[in-house]
Amino acid sequence: MSHPLTRVLTLLELLQSNAGLTGTELADQLDTDVRTVRRYIAHLRDLGIPVQAERGRYGGYRLARGYRMPPLVLTNDEALAVVLGLLAAERLGMGTTVLAGAGARAKIERVLPDALREPLAAMRETLSFTANAVIAQAPGSDVLLGLAQASRARATVGIKYQSWRQDQTERDLDPYGVVFHTGRWYVVGHDHLRDDLRTFRIDRIAAVTPRTKVFTTPDGFDPVAHLTSTLAQGPYRWQVEVTIHGPLDEIARRLPRTAVTLTAQPSGVRMQARAERLDGMAHLLASLEWPFTIHRPDELRPALKNLAEQLTAAAECTPREPSR
């Protein structure tokens, strides 16, 4: 680093990225000495940037708590990562509100230099997705953050919940984990009201209240596996059980996790699923490259035969010659 201004800006970036650094650590990073670091710190303070110094053996320098630096200092790669993240969250239905995402993106673009703002605007305006946009009810930011904090701290919370029947209840919950799945946010945990493991849609939670209790998550508990298994057991007409004679990992990548439960067996992979229409299940099985054995229901067999007849007829159909 040859220019003092470059070192001052680098010092500011180091202070933004770290909770605290000693004078010696900063000097090593800046390739200078501690005395010069003190002079650079004075320059930052003259600019109104609150750099705090702590004396003693474990002392050092840090930015004042809660201080945020305008304008936003991002490299090209960092700015692209942020904008793409906001666009992807909006597309996947992962954001809290559309206005929040658009507002954050507008603020970021407003403080960026023109040389970076214009390429990012071009990316935003020309980017296309192969997947359809997900439109879902957004949860409240305070509710989502409250559940995430409680899950990390292993702290019980009280929630106000409205079911799909519009029934409103208040209950205590031990939140084992927060999961985002196909456009919706869920929290999985122990429900004190029912004394059972339950899954709740977060957009139906009106409020989260901290409690003084703490809890322990069961060993090996996987919130994602529990959620997908629960959703796969929804109220459908048919219970389907099939053994697919192929490798578990590859089969799992081909089948929707919300619709099936897969278990490794000596003869293959046991697939358990529920379906409203067996012709749809026939199409799903026919799309696989591995042979399979049907255990139940027997009504799935004629559905597969009907599909086979349709495919055979399509294969044998030849185009008609245009009339002259």
Side-chain angles (χ1 to χ4, degrees):
M1 300 179 195
S2 56
H3 198 281
L5 178 58
T6 303
R7 289 197 180 100
V8 172
L9 292 176
T10 303
L11 170 61
L12 177 57
E13 185 173 347
L14 289 171
L15 293 174
Q16 285 183 284
S17 305
N18 298 273
L21 291 171
T22 66
T24 302
E25 290 171 333
L26 289 170
D28 290 342
Q29 294 272 6
L30 298 171
D31 192 23
T32 187
D33 53 59
V34 174
R35 184 176 179 180
T36 305
V37 168
R38 294 196 194 102
R39 189 168 69 249
Y40 292 162
I41 293 292
H43 289 331
L44 291 177
R45 287 171 175 165
D46 289 341
L47 294 171
I49 299 172
V51 181
Q52 297 177 340
E54 297 181 4
R55 297 184 179 277
R57 180 181 178 183
Y58 300 103
Y61 298 98
R62 69 175 69 241
L63 290 179
R65 292 187 181 279
Y67 180 74
R68 296 293 181 268
M69 262 299 299
L72 191 64
V73 180
L74 293 175
T75 66
N76 289 15
D77 288 343
E78 291 168 344
L80 179 60
V82 171
V83 172
L84 289 178
L86 290 171
L87 292 173
E90 181 180 329
R91 188 75 178 187
L92 295 172
M94 196 174 187
T96 52
T97 66
V98 174
L99 291 178
R105 193 171 64 242
K107 289 178 181 178
I108 290 172
E109 292 177 350
R110 187 163 57 246
V111 300
L112 292 174
D114 291 340
L116 186 52
R117 186 188 307 124
E118 290 303 319
L120 288 176
M123 169 62 72
R124 171 171 51 82
E125 293 170 9
T126 60
L127 178 64
S128 299
F129 293 83
T130 57
N132 294 328
V134 176
I135 301 175
Q137 183 67 35
S141 299
D142 54 343
V143 171
L144 185 60
L145 294 176
L147 290 170
Q149 288 179 298
S151 178
R152 184 179 66 175
R154 300 293 184 262
T156 302
V157 293
I159 64 172
K160 293 183 179 180
Y161 188 73
Q162 179 174 287
S163 71
W164 65 275
R165 296 188 181 93
Q166 308 301 312
D167 297 329
Q168 296 186 5
T169 57
E170 295 187 15
R171 61 188 76 201
D172 282 1
L173 175 71
D174 298 341
Y176 294 163
V178 173
V179 182
F180 179 79
H181 178 68
T182 60
R184 296 195 186 279
W185 291 93
Y186 299 86
V187 58
V188 180
H190 180 77
D191 176 15
H192 290 232
L193 181 64
R194 306 301 183 194
D195 192 23
D196 197 7
L197 186 61
R198 292 295 177 92
T199 299
F200 299 95
R201 270 179 46 181
I202 296 181
D203 61 285
R204 291 177 178 165
I205 298 177
V208 174
T209 305
R211 299 287 192 247
T212 58
K213 302 176 183 177
V214 295
F215 63 87
T216 301
T217 303
D219 292 338
F221 181 78
D222 184 346
V224 172
H226 176 79
L227 174 68
T228 53
S229 175
T230 299
L231 295 178
Q233 297 174 11
Y236 294 100
R237 181 181 177 187
W238 300 100
Q239 292 188 358
V240 178
E241 192 169 338
V242 175
T243 295
I244 304 170
H245 305 287
L248 176 60
D249 291 344
E250 294 186 31
I251 292 172
R253 285 195 291 268
R254 297 283 296 275
L255 296 176
R257 296 179 65 184
T258 57
V260 303
T261 300
L262 301 176
T263 307
Q265 301 283 337
S267 58
V269 177
R270 181 66 59 92
M271 183 195 80
Q272 294 176 307
R274 299 192 179 193
E276 189 64 29
R277 295 170 56 92
L278 290 178
D279 55 350
M281 182 59 65
H283 280 82
L284 178 66
L285 292 171
S287 69
L288 302 177
E289 59 189 87
W290 304 281
F292 53 86
T293 302
I294 299 172
H295 299 286
R296 62 173 175 163
D298 288 335
E299 289 83 354
L300 179 57
R301 302 178 192 279
L304 280 164
K305 290 179 180 179
N306 290 337
L307 176 60
E309 291 172 359
Q310 294 173 20
L311 294 174
T312 300
E316 295 175 351
C317 182
T318 56
R320 297 180 179 178
E321 293 293 335
S323 57
R324 298 184 180 182

